[in-house]
Amino acid sequence: MPVAVIVGAGIGGLAAAISLRRAGWQVRVVEQAASPRELGFALALAPNALDALDELGLKHQVLGRGVEVKAFEVRRPDGRVVKRVDLHGDAVQSVVTLRPALHGTLLDAVGADALSLGRRVMAIEMKPDSAAAVCDDGTRLEGDVLIGADGVASVVRRALHPAEPPPRPSGYHALRGVSYDVGDRLGTADAAVYLGYGVEIGFARASASAVYWYVSLVDEFAGANPAAVLARCLAGLDDSAASIANAARPEAVRLDRLFCRDPLAEWGQQRVTLLGDAAHPLLPHTAQGAALALEDAVALGLVLRSGEVDGGLRRYERVRAARTRHVIRAGPRIAAMTTTRARARIRVRDALVWLAPPRVLSVILTLHARDPHRALRR
């Protein structure tokens, strides 16, 4: 049985392990953290993410742990509703779930026996017919393929592309948190976005008791103290919405500077390739980070089930690079409209939201829903 070594036990790495195991591979996932359980906040799973989970056999488990978005509102900072979209029908358009819930579902499906924890990969070795991860404790994990699913600061990507410049600041920060037992303050909407001056603030139900929230802000509005940044961003916001964010425990709030990278011309070499944020880091404004990582995992299983490893990896990279390139480039464009201090751009943004029929906003949620794997199913 062929062996795949996967570097990184995040959502993408675990999904790849499930996909490859279903394709007849033995998998070994190496992770630098001593505990496999992932912390974090929440994420929105668009239809393409749900389709990928369906192909992994996990869709219904994840649906049972999240909240389906049926009513979405765009609001002014004072709470006035500019646009409401009610999604009808049986088709699930989007689900918001706590990140640990999704990660836990994937982790349970992979199983502890496939994990090598507490080992930091320091280097990789490539041969024409194999690849190996060399860890800080001297462990050497060798397989027929090696997949770098180790995030934005990927060691595997750096080994493959040593001349590539480091990630560059995007011009934005993200402040994120989860609050509990305050869902009634969101009103009748499952999700709501407040668009202001230099700030975008969003809220979404993520479980029966949890509300996930985020603040997207330009760098000039950020600072070193998350609590102080949050207080500044909530000034003038609708009292009900502000009270949701203020209900979060300090340890459940995190401020991050957001970074960008240009799309890679070539992802991998020989028996080594990349997946998820290691291959195509995205700004969170696209709401596609987890979705594209899940898609990558499904694609790997499709190309490697035939046993044609070298050609399969290069085919995977060509198809996935074309799929992800435009999403990478869309991130800064979306952020420039939703999180801006340019008065003219704000006027255009607000007018578009006001004039757009609810049906148009509903269709936007399904832009990535077309089967991305058609070229790999042949």
Side-chain angles (χ1 to χ4, degrees):
M1 182 181 291
V3 177
V5 175
I6 301 169
V7 181
I11 288 170
L14 293 177
I18 296 166
S19 183
L20 289 176
R21 186 181 282 165
R22 289 164 68 93
W25 285 65
Q26 181 181 344
V27 296
R28 195 69 186 169
V29 183
V30 58
E31 166 60 43
Q32 66 181 7
S35 169
R37 294 289 170 181
E38 185 175 275
L39 302 176
F41 302 101
L43 37 78
L45 300 173
N48 59 315
L50 299 174
D51 288 345
L53 287 167
D54 197 25
E55 296 214 35
L56 297 175
L58 299 173
K59 177 179 176 178
H60 293 292
Q61 291 171 246
V62 173
L63 287 178
R65 303 180 74 174
V67 175
E68 183 180 351
V69 177
K70 281 294 189 180
F72 171 82
E73 292 181 350
V74 180
R75 301 173 179 174
R76 298 189 188 280
D78 62 5
R80 187 159 41 123
V81 176
V82 179
K83 186 72 64 178
R84 180 180 172 100
V85 180
D86 290 291
L87 304 174
H88 302 290
D90 296 329
V92 179
Q93 301 281 357
S94 182
V95 169
V96 179
T97 186
L98 294 173
R99 181 175 287 269
L102 173 60
H103 188 265
T105 299
L106 296 168
L107 189 62
D108 291 343
V110 170
D113 60 327
L115 303 177
S116 293
L117 301 174
R119 288 175 172 160
R120 181 187 297 271
V121 173
M122 306 300 291
I124 63 171
E125 298 174 354
M126 293 184 287
K127 296 179 182 178
D129 59 353
S130 67
V134 181
C135 303
D136 55 355
D137 62 356
T139 303
R140 185 175 177 278
L141 300 174
E142 185 170 347
D144 298 279
V145 301
L146 186 146
I147 300 159
D150 48 340
V152 177
S154 171
V155 172
V156 179
R157 179 168 174 153
R158 190 162 62 246
L160 289 168
H161 305 281
E164 183 187 22
R168 64 183 183 278
S170 68
Y172 303 96
H173 275 66
L175 186 66
R176 287 169 277 202
V178 176
S179 302
Y180 289 89
D181 301 320
V182 289
D184 58 307
R185 303 176 197 177
L186 200 52
T188 60
D190 299 307
V193 172
Y194 292 76
L195 298 176
Y197 175 75
V199 173
E200 171 195 357
I201 305 176
F203 300 87
R205 303 178 195 276
S207 75
S209 61
V211 174
Y212 164 65
W213 54 266
Y214 68 86
V215 181
S216 169
L217 61 152
V218 293
D219 283 348
E220 294 88 338
F221 287 1
N225 186 323
V229 173
L230 181 61
R232 275 203 309 277
C233 292
L234 296 180
L237 188 69
D238 163 37
D239 288 343
S240 293
S243 70
I244 295 175
N246 283 324
R249 298 186 301 272
E251 63 271 19
V253 179
R254 193 178 75 201
L255 178 66
D256 297 300
R257 193 175 195 182
L258 303 179
F259 292 85
C260 290
R261 297 193 101 152
D262 293 327
L264 286 170
E266 296 180 354
W267 287 13
Q269 301 172 33
Q270 296 183 336
R271 295 295 183 91
V272 181
T273 194
L274 300 171
L275 178 148
D277 283 347
H280 45 75
L282 305 170
L283 287 180
H285 306 77
T286 65
Q288 279 289 305
L292 293 187
L294 291 168
E295 284 187 3
D296 289 347
V298 171
L300 271 176
L302 289 172
V303 299
L304 293 180
R305 64 185 175 183
S306 67
E308 183 200 354
V309 178
D310 297 271
L313 290 178
R314 302 296 86 83
R315 197 153 59 99
Y316 155 78
E317 292 164 358
R318 286 194 301 272
V319 171
R320 295 306 300 159
R323 167 76 166 174
T324 58
R325 190 178 298 119
H326 75 278
V327 186
I328 295 173
R329 290 172 174 159
R333 293 197 294 268
I334 295 170
M337 291 301 293
T338 62
T339 310
T340 179
R341 295 189 301 161
R343 296 291 186 185
R345 193 172 289 168
I346 289 173
R347 286 195 293 272
V348 171
R349 176 197 71 193
D350 292 351
L352 288 173
V353 172
W354 176 260
L355 295 172
R359 172 64 181 164
V360 171
L361 296 180
S362 175
V363 169
I364 288 173
L365 293 175
T366 64
L367 285 178
H368 302 284
R370 194 173 67 171
D371 180 12
H373 307 302
R374 289 173 300 164
L376 302 177
R377 298 188 196 278
R378 299 168 187 163

